[in-house]
């Protein structure tokens, strides 16, 4: 998947999608992005900045959603220019695709919406790269059909993301067998931080168990994936969205060093 002329997911280089969950402010996005970019440069990792302009699938109506499409895209546009890196963000409605694609390089389809045909087609028709999260309710082999929808619209720039499967209430598990299964259809990204999320498990908001993130990340790296998705924040306890499962920014250096070492070994063994 070509994100830019120089950043290719599914090639010989590890790709990282990382940033705060929500584009809370330009300052938080830049503080996070500058740190992650610096570490990625040191480790020879291709970096794509991530933040959401709108968190449209929050558990409670009172939860923070973001700056909205206008304010959020303004932040993302500034960050893209000032950091000098590609940007990925979510879309939730078909009408958003064209406007968001005018700013970002990758359109992310949220897990809950991975079967929404019109949304997938709208994203595909922008010509931008499309990153589809596997729904918590979807079998890995069934994600082939989401890929087919995007490619059927004439856009071959598409990948899948693993983020865990529902296992009872408020809990997710990751079946590592799904990584090579989905990798038959497209490049695959492992979502480290949402895989340790506890959906709706904190009384109207989602909880998380970030202490397990290193274990799942190492397992995915060893199994073989093309990239990683990590949400990180200068102070997760004060983050306005998904704080319990985000990696503290001051830990990202050691986290990525660990991940790159294992990925370099695991990625040699990619076929079923």
């Amino acid at each position: 998947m070509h994100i830019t002329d120089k950043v290719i997911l599914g090639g010989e280089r590890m790709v990282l999608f990382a940033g705060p969950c929500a584009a809370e402010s330009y300052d938080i996005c830049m503080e996070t992005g500058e740190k992650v970019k610096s570490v990625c440069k040191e480790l020879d990792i291709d970096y794509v900045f991530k933040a959401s302009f709108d968190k449209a699938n929050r558990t409670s109506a009172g939860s923070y959603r973001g700056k909205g499409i206008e304010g959020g895209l303004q932040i993302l546009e500034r960050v893209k220019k000032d950091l000098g890196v590609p940007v990925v963000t979510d879309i939730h409605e078909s009408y958003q695709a064209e406007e968001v694609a005018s700013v970002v390089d990758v359109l992310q389809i949220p897990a809950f919406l991975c079967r929404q045909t019109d949304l997938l087609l709208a994203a595909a028709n922008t010509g931008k790269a499309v990153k589809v999260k596997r729904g918590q309710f979807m079998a890995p082999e069934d994600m082939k059909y989401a890929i087919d929808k995007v490619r059927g619209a004439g856009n071959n720039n598409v990948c899948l993301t693993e983020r865990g499967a529902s296992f009872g209430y408020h809990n997710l598990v990751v079946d590592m067998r799904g990584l090579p299964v989905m990798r038959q259809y497209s490049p695959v990204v492992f979502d480290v931080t949402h895989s340790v999320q506890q959906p709706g498990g904190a009384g109207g908001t989602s909880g998380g168990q970030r202490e397990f993130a290193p274990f799942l990340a190492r397992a995915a790296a060893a199994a073989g994936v093309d990239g990683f998705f990590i949400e990180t924040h200068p102070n997760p306890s004060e983050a306005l969205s998904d704080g319990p499962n985000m990696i503290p920014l001051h830990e990202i250096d050691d986290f990525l060093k660990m991940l790159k070492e294992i990925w370099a070994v695991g990625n040699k063994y990619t076929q079923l």
Side-chain angles (χ1 to χ4, degrees):
M1 182 177 87
H2 285 73
I3 296 170
T4 68
D5 290 339
K6 296 182 179 180
V7 180
I8 301 172
L9 182 71
E12 297 181 356
R13 293 170 61 84
M14 176 175 149
V15 178
L16 175 69
F17 302 82
C21 177
E24 301 176 16
S25 70
Y26 170 79
D27 290 341
I28 286 178
C29 286
M30 283 300 295
E31 180 181 355
T32 305
E34 286 174 341
K35 172 64 175 177
V36 177
K37 180 183 177 181
S38 174
V39 177
C40 285
K41 182 177 181 181
E42 176 187 345
L43 298 176
D44 201 30
I45 297 170
D46 287 332
Y47 176 44
V48 181
F49 176 83
K50 181 272 167 185
S52 298
F53 65 85
D54 180 21
K55 304 300 296 182
N57 55 355
R58 301 303 303 275
T59 303
S60 168
S63 296
Y64 179 80
R65 287 187 55 166
K67 300 291 186 180
I69 193 165
E70 182 176 351
L73 287 183
Q74 287 177 355
I75 291 173
L76 294 178
E77 189 169 31
R78 288 181 65 193
V79 170
K80 178 179 176 178
K81 177 182 177 182
D82 294 346
L83 277 182
V85 299
V87 171
V88 58
T89 196
D90 316 82
I91 58 171
H92 296 85
E93 303 280 354
S94 300
Y95 75 84
Q96 296 173 338
E98 186 174 353
E99 183 175 0
V100 175
S102 70
V103 172
V104 308
D105 304 273
V106 184
L107 298 175
Q108 180 168 275
I109 307 300
F112 289 134
L113 302 177
C114 68
R115 289 177 54 161
Q116 296 298 102
T117 300
D118 288 345
L119 184 62
L120 289 165
L121 295 181
N125 288 334
T126 67
K128 292 296 180 75
V130 181
K131 180 175 176 291
V132 186
K133 286 197 169 187
R134 184 184 68 79
Q136 299 92 324
F137 46 86
M138 293 286 290
E141 58 268 25
D142 289 341
M143 292 306 296
K144 172 185 183 296
Y145 304 106
I147 294 294
D148 288 347
K149 289 176 183 179
V150 176
R151 289 181 176 155
N155 188 341
N156 291 320
N157 260 351
V158 59
C159 71
L160 293 170
T161 298
E162 170 60 43
R163 53 89 21 94
S166 296
F167 189 72
Y169 301 122
H170 304 155
N171 195 28
L172 300 170
V173 296
V174 178
D175 180 357
M176 292 296 168
R177 296 174 300 178
L179 299 176
V181 169
M182 292 193 298
R183 221 172 177 202
Q184 296 175 98
Y185 315 132
S186 76
V188 169
V189 174
F190 181 66
D191 183 340
V192 174
T193 44
H194 286 100
S195 293
V196 297
Q197 187 184 59
Q198 295 174 309
T205 62
S206 291
Q209 295 176 305
R210 74 166 67 94
E211 65 270 23
F212 293 115
F215 299 95
L216 291 180
R218 288 196 294 265
V225 292
D226 301 285
F228 296 88
F229 179 102
I230 298 175
E231 290 186 340
T232 180
H233 192 281
N235 190 346
S237 65
E238 296 182 1
L240 299 179
S241 176
D242 275 2
N245 49 271
M246 284 200 277
I247 305 299
L249 188 60
H250 70 271
E251 296 179 8
I252 202 69
D253 194 325
D254 290 340
F255 197 99
L256 290 178
K257 286 179 181 177
M258 167 198 73
L259 211 50
K260 178 66 185 295
E261 289 178 5
I262 300 173
W263 177 85
V265 176
N267 212 43
K268 294 179 181 179
Y269 307 97
T270 60
Q271 302 299 321
L272 280 174

